[in-house]
Amino acid sequence: EIEVICVNDGSPDACPQILDAYAEKDSRVRVIHQENQGVSGARNAGMQYARARYIGFVDPDDWIEPRTYELAVVKMQEDEEIDLVCWGISEWVDRERERYLKDRKHPLYHRRHRSVTGKCFLTDDIKCELVGGVWNKLYKAELIQKWDIVYHEGHIYEDFAFIGEYVAWAKYGYCLDGYYYNYRLARTDAITSSASKNKLPVNTRFLRLFEEIYAYYTRFDLLESHAPLLVEMLAMMLRLCAQYSTDYAAFLREARQFVARYPNLPDTRARTFWYLGSGKAFVRFYPLSPLEKVFSVVNAGSQKIFRILGFEFAVDRNFFKKSSSHSA
């Protein structure tokens, strides 16, 4: 009892014929042919044609274990309170015609460094852990349709916005204790490759995506009740900006101006955002364990940030390169 919706998003090779052949063999397979609209346009088309009560997503270069959706649907059907089911992922690397397991990640591995399995109430803290990839989760079609949740087309990191909007309405989740999604790491970086084809800087495109998320929360009067969640999403977006920025100084200037536009979000008035570029702001973007709060070193753009016994300070990373060359 499953429908597999395959979207041919303007593929120039033999994918259309391959998909049509599958559809002829199995009535559960439905194929949509459309001109290229990007991953967001493809997923929106798939959701529009979906007839099932629950929806999941699988990227074309990844794969899932055979019982993945069976296990997830059972949990949804057993308890009407559950709005979201998630599961662990296995990360694979392709190298020299061999495939290697690099890592396994639990979907809810808290900043307090404990795993969450089974049913749980989705606090803003837990929702922050869920914002990210859409592919290791099962969603209720009813919530997607009722609250007009779609993929924001023309953006990078579009999964971020979809999850960010969906979790605003999800009250309870269920985390399967297993690794059912297989994610291939050996691929062209989607963010950098997409950015290279677009004239807008990566910083601007990330921040515009947050603007749309903020507008969605404003539209449904969710700002006051979910301010902590929005603050954390903003922090994550700024962290990604720092990671992918090619002009670090320009990013810092833009980030300060951008944060100042959201005084109603509590942390945008705190030092963690006002001191962008001092090193203090970036530490909060990287979740720290109790041990790391005693001592940790984080690279953030052109800076190396040290945290010792609760005190934070930043040093230009070029300083260490110079010291190394002088020692040699």
Side-chain angles (χ1 to χ4, degrees), residues 223-237:
L223 292 180
E224 186 174 350
S225 58
H226 288 81
L229 176 59
L230 277 169
V231 165
E232 288 303 317
M233 285 196 283
L234 175 56
M236 283 188 274
M237 296 304 277

Side-chain angles (χ1 to χ4, degrees), residues 157-185:
Y157 214 60
E158 63 288 327
D159 290 7
F160 189 99
F162 182 87
I163 294 287
E165 294 174 7
Y166 186 90
V167 295
W169 309 105
K171 294 182 179 179
Y172 285 92
Y174 191 99
C175 187
L176 299 174
D177 188 14
Y179 303 92
Y180 301 108
Y181 192 90
N182 296 283
Y183 181 85
R184 290 179 62 194
L185 288 170

Side-chain angles (χ1 to χ4, degrees), residues 131-196:
V131 173
V134 297
W135 14 259
N136 64 329
K137 302 173 181 71
L138 186 68
Y139 311 86
K140 282 184 175 177
E142 175 187 4
L143 286 182
I144 293 173
Q145 296 161 2
K146 180 179 180 180
W147 299 112
D148 193 24
I149 302 170
V150 297
Y151 283 89
H152 296 255
E153 299 186 28
H155 288 283
I156 51 179
Y157 214 60
E158 63 288 327
D159 290 7
F160 189 99
F162 182 87
I163 294 287
E165 294 174 7
Y166 186 90
V167 295
W169 309 105
K171 294 182 179 179
Y172 285 92
Y174 191 99
C175 187
L176 299 174
D177 188 14
Y179 303 92
Y180 301 108
Y181 192 90
N182 296 283
Y183 181 85
R184 290 179 62 194
L185 288 170
R187 63 173 95 177
T188 303
D189 192 304
I191 293 178
T192 52
S193 62
S194 175
S196 65

Side-chain angles (χ1 to χ4, degrees), residues 60-302:
D61 46 356
D62 299 333
W63 73 98
I64 58 174
E65 299 302 316
R67 296 188 63 201
T68 302
Y69 287 120
E70 176 190 352
L71 297 171
V73 167
V74 165
K75 296 303 178 184
M76 285 278 204
Q77 293 177 337
E78 286 179 348
D79 190 338
E80 288 293 326
E81 283 190 325
I82 295 175
D83 296 318
L84 179 73
V85 178
C86 58
W87 48 90
I89 66 172
S90 298
E91 294 182 340
W92 297 86
V93 176
D94 293 334
R95 187 180 302 128
E96 297 179 357
R97 299 185 180 181
E98 296 289 339
R99 184 166 292 158
Y100 301 92
L101 178 63
K102 180 181 179 182
D103 195 9
R104 278 183 166 167
K105 295 182 179 178
H106 193 274
L108 288 179
Y109 191 62
H110 265 309
R111 297 174 183 179
R112 294 186 295 274
H113 282 228
R114 66 179 181 86
S115 296
V116 176
T117 57
K119 182 179 178 180
C120 61
F121 179 71
L122 296 178
T123 62
D124 275 1
D125 186 37
I126 291 178
K127 289 177 179 181
C128 289
E129 301 295 324
L130 292 170
V131 173
V134 297
W135 14 259
N136 64 329
K137 302 173 181 71
L138 186 68
Y139 311 86
K140 282 184 175 177
E142 175 187 4
L143 286 182
I144 293 173
Q145 296 161 2
K146 180 179 180 180
W147 299 112
D148 193 24
I149 302 170
V150 297
Y151 283 89
H152 296 255
E153 299 186 28
H155 288 283
I156 51 179
Y157 214 60
E158 63 288 327
D159 290 7
F160 189 99
F162 182 87
I163 294 287
E165 294 174 7
Y166 186 90
V167 295
W169 309 105
K171 294 182 179 179
Y172 285 92
Y174 191 99
C175 187
L176 299 174
D177 188 14
Y179 303 92
Y180 301 108
Y181 192 90
N182 296 283
Y183 181 85
R184 290 179 62 194
L185 288 170
R187 63 173 95 177
T188 303
D189 192 304
I191 293 178
T192 52
S193 62
S194 175
S196 65
K197 299 176 183 178
N198 193 293
K199 295 181 181 179
L200 291 175
V202 173
N203 300 348
T204 303
R205 299 179 68 193
F206 272 128
L207 297 181
R208 284 190 178 180
L209 182 60
F210 179 81
E211 288 177 344
E212 294 195 13
I213 298 172
Y214 186 88
Y216 180 88
Y217 275 65
T218 303
R219 172 186 168 193
F220 290 103
D221 197 24
L222 297 168
L223 292 180
E224 186 174 350
S225 58
H226 288 81
L229 176 59
L230 277 169
V231 165
E232 288 303 317
M233 285 196 283
L234 175 56
M236 283 188 274
M237 296 304 277
L238 290 173
R239 183 191 67 183
L240 287 166
C241 286
Q243 181 178 350
Y244 289 100
S245 176
T246 55
D247 188 336
Y248 192 65
F251 155 67
L252 293 177
R253 290 193 298 270
E254 186 175 6
R256 291 191 191 97
Q257 296 171 359
F258 188 83
V259 164
R261 293 164 48 189
Y262 298 95
N264 59 321
L265 296 181
D267 260 18
T268 57
R269 297 191 299 268
R271 66 180 189 131
T272 51
F273 280 119
W274 284 121
Y275 289 156
L276 280 166
S278 68
K280 295 178 181 179
F282 284 103
V283 173
R284 78 178 303 277
F285 299 167
Y286 296 83
L288 301 174
S289 68
L291 179 60
E292 289 170 327
K293 290 179 181 178
V294 176
F295 177 78
S296 64
V297 182
V298 175
N299 290 327
S302 62

